[in-house]
Amino acid sequence: MNVARMLILGLGAIALTLSTAQAAGPHKTPVAPAKYLSMENPIDADDLEGRVLKKVKRLYKSKCKKCHGTEGDGKGSAAEDIVLKPTSFIVPGYMEDRKDGQLFWIIKAGSKDTEMKAFGPGTDVNLSDEEMWKLVAYMRKAFTK
Ligand code: HEC
């Protein structure tokens, strides 16, 4: 094979790689169904204190921290090996821009084809609605920036 031919084949391969990467596009987190978006958290973040706060903090640590990090920055110990990175909750405005029902729904149902698994009733972790609302309230309290 001559040099020119090799060059053409090489460039072709690069172009193909670039176009497939682009076709996939940037990932968009799915948006919750309207029914969820209109839900309000029955638990007020300001009311999380004492024993209840300790308990939900422990739940976050045991089920969420390895990806989303203790500080909610998305840099947990497992994050390095994940291609689509865990969301950072502490990006300024992030928590304010997300409705309670959106956060609740992703925790409950997961995000398809990502490492964000479903945690709701009937799953391995089997969190109750109350536990998930508490997690949402905890995220508001701890991570709003
Ligand atoms: C194995 C890693 C992993 C674990 C454990 C994990 N997450 Fe996630 N999480 C992700 C990834 C990856 C995404 C990004 C999904 C996307 O953008 O589609 C995500 C996204 C989210 C979002 C973003 C929702 C939005 O609309 O922006 C919330 C809320 C969330 N996770 C909460 C939790 C909570 C609460 C726990 C613990 C009960 C948890 N996650 C555990 C990996 C994880």
Side-chain angles (χ1 to χ4, degrees):
M1 204 188 297
N2 66 34
V3 175
R5 217 186 136 106
M6 272 171 66
L7 204 70
I8 288 167
L9 281 176
L11 285 175
I14 291 170
L16 191 72
T17 318
L18 286 177
S19 66
T20 7
Q22 214 165 38
H27 173 81
K28 282 211 175 71
T29 310
V31 176
K35 170 181 135 188
Y36 282 90
L37 292 179
S38 62
M39 286 179 174
E40 266 184 53
N41 195 342
I43 292 147
D44 193 331
D46 294 334
D47 293 344
L48 276 188
E49 43 192 25
R51 239 163 35 90
V52 184
L53 176 60
K54 259 196 190 146
K55 210 170 154 193
V56 67
K57 206 169 170 174
R58 221 181 300 135
L59 183 61
Y60 179 86
K61 265 194 175 163
S62 74
K63 305 295 177 214
C64 321
K65 181 187 91 169
K66 70 169 178 172
C67 288
H68 294 286
T70 308
E71 309 301 330
D73 57 6
K75 298 198 171 118
S77 58
E80 211 172 302
D81 300 328
I82 296 178
V83 177
L84 186 103
K85 295 299 175 203
T87 310
S88 166
F89 304 129
I90 59 167
V91 171
Y94 174 87
M95 290 305 296
E96 276 166 27
D97 289 346
R98 298 288 176 302
K99 290 185 181 284
D100 284 340
Q102 168 69 25
L103 303 173
F104 178 83
W105 176 72
I106 291 268
I107 300 169
K108 180 177 172 146
S111 177
K112 204 167 162 278
D113 301 328
T114 77
E115 290 298 318
M116 181 61 200
K117 303 296 175 224
F119 289 91
T123 64
D124 287 348
V125 178
N126 196 30
L127 296 178
S128 67
D129 281 10
E130 191 184 338
E131 285 171 313
M132 292 186 288
W133 282 125
K134 280 186 182 151
L135 280 170
V136 172
Y138 173 71
M139 288 171 59
R140 290 231 178 271
K141 191 179 177 95
F143 305 140
T144 300
K145 293 271 144 54

